Amino acid sequence: MKALILVGGFGTRLRPLTLSVPKPLVDFANKPMILHQIEALKAIGVKEVVLAINYQPEVMLNFLKEFEEKLGIKITCSQETEPLGTAGPLALARDKLVDKSGEPFFVLNSDVISEYPLKEMIEFHKSHGGEASIMVTKVDEPSKYGVVVMEESTGKVEKFVEKPKLFVGNKINAGIYLLNPSVLDKIELRPTSIEKEVFPKIAAEQKLYAMVLPGFWMDIGQPKDYITGLRLYLNSLRKNSSSKLAVGSHIVGNVLVDETAKIGEGCLIGPDVAIGPGCVVEAGVRLSRCTVMRGVRIKKHACISSSIIGWHSTVGQWARVENMTILGEDVHVGDEIYSNGGVVLPHKEIKSSILKPEIVM
């Protein structure tokens, strides 16, 4: 089997992290976002993953070379010269996706994190005999999204309603698809949307089916959702493989700590924290609802909550960092500094407090 991951554009919503690496390579729970998906695909027998990309393909490929060998899966790029939306890339990658087997292929949106029940999806796809299967997830506020209206018993999709004013349902497209090769005949090589142009056509022919995603789902393409996604992901680890989570008197709730990280005396860490490789957390530090990426040093008695600390940054003694502060790569926050929602570009030194959410150039 094969799979296409829609990598797309510049990742502007996750800046300043995406100023250092393309968005799919930003760490989430101590590994690049896209690796969560590639590992899930590999686990159910996908042999080749195609990345649909229009930005820095060489950076992506160089990085993924080592994982190609480690995981034993072929990773190639299909590069757009202009942005092609969410369906155009499938037409562009047609020759890479179609082979003589006639097997269906997966398409995934690279920002989506979930438990990836891909095996169940293959079984669902075979059972209904339609042309395409999509995953849907239940949300509390469907009016912010495109809602999928479907028959509950069979999963057959009736229609799509974009940002409904009146309640028509609470299931939205989760960005994970399994498509027969014949779907490619419906897609032209131009900028086009799979959600707005291709799927409604297939639904009109009564060949589109939706499976409700078990477990959690999050689009982690922006900081607030990234932090929420981390909570949901760690919660899922607690249920499914709790041995990966940290334990100890200094740990509260679900915490993921890389084995090469060092944690000092008298810290209180958690809930919902990820600490990456090579990090040093000095004595008396308090961390909650945050991600601390590779090579970060957090000095004594600093306090960090609801924030993302980028690679190789330092946070000074007694500093307080909170309210969706995002430090890009190699940012140095001085001792006793307060950051309230500061978004700091890479390679900066912060010598005075950031009292209200702002971007620090």
Side-chain angles (χ1 to χ4, degrees):
M1 277 187 98
K2 296 184 177 185
L4 178 92
I5 300 179
L6 295 164
V7 173
F10 300 109
T12 47
R13 297 179 305 164
L14 267 187
R15 282 183 185 160
L17 301 169
T18 49
L19 295 173
S20 299
V21 297
K23 181 169 61 175
L25 300 186
V26 171
D27 294 314
F28 176 81
N30 291 353
K31 62 183 161 198
M33 280 185 197
I34 200 164
L35 208 52
H36 292 273
Q37 298 182 326
I38 293 173
E39 286 177 354
L41 289 164
K42 164 72 183 170
I44 53 128
V46 169
K47 298 278 189 287
E48 184 176 346
V49 176
V50 181
L51 308 178
I53 188 166
N54 64 17
Y55 175 61
Q56 293 187 321
E58 50 295 322
V59 179
M60 289 284 290
L61 279 178
N62 290 342
F63 180 86
L64 290 166
K65 273 285 165 278
E66 79 172 274
F67 292 105
E68 230 185 1
E69 286 157 25
K70 246 186 225 169
L71 296 168
I73 189 168
K74 187 177 171 191
I75 302 172
T76 58
C77 268
S78 168
Q79 193 184 0
E80 308 161 31
T81 48
E82 56 165 345
L84 289 171
T86 51
L90 278 71
L92 186 66
R94 183 183 184 121
D95 295 345
K96 293 180 186 280
L97 292 171
V98 176
D99 54 22
K100 295 181 183 65
S101 72
E103 278 190 316
F105 57 89
F106 282 101
V107 176
L108 285 83
N109 188 335
S110 71
D111 293 353
V112 165
I113 196 92
S114 75
E115 286 172 13
Y116 307 115
L118 305 177
K119 191 161 165 277
E120 294 83 340
M121 195 173 190
I122 295 171
E123 285 159 14
F124 173 73
H125 187 75
K126 283 179 181 157
S127 71
H128 66 65
E131 197 169 31
S133 299
I134 66 174
M135 281 282 192
V136 294
T137 185
K138 292 180 183 170
V139 290
D140 295 334
E141 287 182 62
S143 62
K144 295 196 307 202
Y145 303 91
V147 171
V148 181
V149 181
M150 57 189 267
E151 269 179 24
E152 291 298 319
S153 54
T154 62
K156 187 187 285 181
V157 174
E158 292 164 16
K159 59 179 178 179
F160 293 82
V161 184
E162 199 51 45
K163 300 190 173 156
K165 297 279 178 284
L166 297 168
F167 185 85
V168 289
N170 66 346
K171 296 180 191 69
I172 65 162
N173 175 353
I176 302 171
Y177 320 130
L178 185 55
L179 312 177
N180 286 354
S182 58
V183 170
L184 294 169
D185 300 334
K186 296 183 165 70
I187 304 174
E188 296 169 30
L189 183 50
R190 61 177 174 86
T192 163
S193 158
I194 200 165
E195 301 86 356
K196 293 182 180 147
E197 296 180 59
V198 182
F199 287 155
K201 272 188 213 161
I202 304 173
E205 294 171 8
Q206 306 207 336
K207 290 181 179 171
L208 181 66
Y209 288 79
M211 172 180 157
V212 179
L213 180 79
F216 78 99
W217 175 88
M218 201 72 214
D219 177 330
I220 54 172
Q222 52 188 343
K224 181 168 66 44
D225 297 335
Y226 177 105
I227 295 287
T228 303
L230 183 64
R231 174 174 62 80
L232 297 171
Y233 175 83
L234 293 176
N235 203 26
S236 152
L237 269 192
R238 166 75 61 204
K239 287 196 195 95
N240 301 319
S241 46
S242 62
S243 60
K244 292 180 180 169
L245 294 172
V247 288
S249 57
H250 60 301
I251 300 290
V252 185
N254 299 332
V255 176
L256 192 61
V257 180
D258 187 88
E259 56 193 20
T260 60
K262 294 186 171 61
I263 293 177
E265 293 291 305
C267 292
L268 189 57
I269 294 173
D272 308 320
V273 173
I275 299 175
C279 290
V280 176
V281 178
E282 295 183 4
V285 166
R286 175 76 180 102
L287 303 177
S288 64
R289 294 182 306 283
C290 64
T291 284
V292 180
M293 293 184 182
R294 179 178 5 96
V296 165
R297 175 177 285 265
I298 298 174
K299 297 186 177 172
K300 290 176 186 169
H301 306 292
C303 176
I304 300 174
S305 68
S306 302
S307 296
I308 302 174
I309 311 300
W311 309 271
H312 306 289
S313 292
T314 52
V315 175
Q317 298 185 28
W318 296 100
R320 186 177 183 97
V321 173
E322 61 187 28
N323 191 23
M324 295 315 312
T325 291
I326 306 172
L327 306 185
E329 180 181 18
D330 180 43
V331 167
H332 303 282
V333 174
D335 292 350
E336 298 178 32
I337 292 291
Y338 173 55
S339 171
N340 172 19
V343 172
V344 186
L345 272 65
H347 315 297
K348 297 289 296 178
E349 195 169 343
I350 301 297
K351 294 176 178 165
S352 58
S353 289
I354 302 168
L355 300 178
K356 61 182 196 306
E358 62 177 323
I359 294 171
V360 180
M361 311 288 275

